Amino acid sequence: MTAIIAGALAGLGGAAAYDSLTDDASVRPSNTSLDSPASNVSDKPAPKGSVQEVANAILPSVVMINAGAGSGSGIVISADGLILTNNHVVEGASEGGELAVSFNDGSTASADVLGTDPVTDLAVIQAEDVSGLKPATLGSSSDLAVGQQVVAVGSPFGLDSTVTSGIVSALNRPVSAGGSGQGEPTVFPAVQTDAAINPGNSGGPLVNMRGEVIGINSAIYSPTSITGQSGSVGLGFAVPIDEARPIANQLVDGEEPSHAQIGVTVTNQSGENGLSGGAQVHSIEEDSAADGAGLEQGDLITRVDEHVITTSDDLVAIVRTFRPGDEVSLTVLRDGDEQQIDLTLGSDTE
């Protein structure tokens, strides 16, 4: 697993985070606003298994979120107005800003931030005084396959109810995203897709051909244009729904979000050929999972279960695919000898 994309995103310092409400509102066409939504759900029967069928199923569950300076997207997860989106879409509202939500039928509502998790770049908001909404069907990201067809829906550049399609290009891609100048970027194990994702798509769904949400569109890699505005070059990244679901449940329940951790700091280790060869343990937190399992400073972690680890970002991303309390097996090189170390993952809330 290469971390080149993650490095490029971090190096640009915002191509990922720029897939958010921070895009300059002046670049959005003047005829796109909360008062003029597109109406894209067709009454005509769609061919079975087509993108049109998927679009008809998911569009009523996708919203446009306006936060004043720009816009993002969100996914309806309850009939009474719970909406899942990205933290970087709503972080301005968390600091006193206002949120407005535009639904697919043209109706609008004010919204409040229910909870945020900068670590996974997720948030849940509550639309006020709404009922009878159509919640999206949340699928599973554990059975995704490279090459599988997917559909992305959202409001790129303020163009609500926009549908694009593509394939799953890679899985568990370590991507640094979410930081927008006020918060530290986070690394997540992304579903990579070539479906067009642009600024404003953040928080919208990546959907399989059964119309089930399998990811939350969160980041793009895009060389910044001469105008300073990023755009799609076929490298989009979504938070897998299996990682998003437990965090969303905790936010809805008013709990502090928890994340699995080993309890180490790591650095990249290059092999003789100059390529990254694993994540080397730099320090170990006392009484952590790593401490209890016998990891030592200088150990080189090369696998977590069946997942190959070539960089420190790989390790962070893969660990975040698990939950606190899960058991994993680490493949470790110590003094030239390979060994297996089993441990139970800790929690960052303990």
Side-chain angles (χ1 to χ4, degrees):
M1 175 67 67
T2 178
I4 293 175
I5 295 297
L9 285 166
L12 287 174
Y18 214 170
D19 176 25
S20 69
L21 72 154
T22 56
D23 51 309
D24 184 353
S26 66
V27 304
R28 298 201 305 273
S30 58
N31 64 343
T32 58
S33 69
L34 291 178
D35 298 322
S36 58
S39 180
N40 292 341
V41 178
S42 174
D43 293 330
K44 298 179 180 179
K48 189 70 175 177
S50 66
V51 172
Q52 180 187 348
E53 183 182 49
V54 174
N56 287 347
I58 192 63
L59 275 169
S61 305
V62 181
V63 303
M64 178 175 169
I65 300 172
N66 186 286
S71 60
S73 306
I75 305 163
V76 175
I77 58 174
S78 76
D80 60 353
L82 289 174
I83 296 168
L84 178 61
T85 185
N86 282 136
N87 174 61
H88 71 256
V89 170
V90 302
E91 60 184 350
S94 299
E95 300 168 358
E98 295 184 356
L99 289 177
V101 176
S102 176
F103 298 96
N104 186 257
D105 64 0
S107 62
T108 63
S110 298
D112 296 316
V113 177
L114 196 63
T116 64
D117 181 36
V119 173
T120 54
D121 194 24
L122 295 172
V124 174
I125 65 175
Q126 174 71 65
E128 299 177 356
D129 302 321
V130 296
S131 61
L133 302 179
K134 180 183 178 182
T137 300
L138 304 185
S140 173
S141 51
S142 63
D143 57 355
L144 290 176
V146 173
Q148 179 177 335
Q149 285 186 293
V150 289
V151 173
V153 185
S155 303
F157 301 104
L159 299 170
D160 62 299
S161 302
T162 296
V163 177
T164 60
S165 64
I167 63 168
V168 173
S169 303
L171 296 169
N172 293 322
R173 179 74 74 192
V175 170
S176 177
S180 63
Q182 298 177 346
E184 290 297 320
T186 183
V187 177
F188 67 91
V191 178
Q192 181 180 327
T193 180
D194 67 350
I197 296 174
N198 286 285
N201 272 113
S202 279
L206 189 66
V207 185
N208 63 22
M209 298 307 289
R210 295 188 296 273
E212 301 166 338
V213 178
I214 51 86
I216 314 301
N217 298 322
S218 300
I220 59 172
Y221 170 72
S222 178
T224 304
S225 71
I226 193 170
T227 64
Q229 181 65 59
S230 57
S232 175
V233 292
L235 295 172
F237 306 96
V239 178
I241 195 62
D242 289 354
E243 281 67 72
R245 183 186 283 107
I247 299 299
N249 288 337
Q250 289 179 315
L251 294 176
V252 170
D253 292 339
E255 300 174 2
E256 181 182 1
S258 60
H259 316 90
Q261 64 176 19
I262 295 176
V264 296
T265 60
V266 290
T267 58
N268 293 335
Q269 176 65 33
S270 297
E272 294 180 358
N273 56 8
L275 298 177
S276 297
Q280 188 165 45
V281 176
H282 176 69
S283 64
I284 300 172
E285 182 181 340
E286 186 177 358
D287 297 326
S288 66
D291 189 22
L295 273 174
E296 297 180 2
Q297 185 177 5
D299 283 348
L300 186 67
I301 302 172
T302 59
R303 284 182 181 270
V304 177
D305 289 344
E306 76 279 8
H307 303 287
V308 175
I309 304 299
T310 59
T311 69
S312 57
D313 277 351
D314 281 349
L315 181 62
V316 173
I318 290 301
V319 169
R320 288 198 175 137
T321 68
F322 296 95
R323 295 296 298 156
D326 287 348
E327 296 182 356
V328 297
S329 179
L330 306 182
T331 301
V332 172
L333 285 177
R334 180 182 296 169
D335 299 326
D337 295 325
E338 185 176 279
Q339 56 183 282
Q340 301 296 314
I341 295 180
D342 297 328
L343 57 77
T344 301
L345 293 169
S347 171
D348 59 359
T349 59
E350 295 177 349

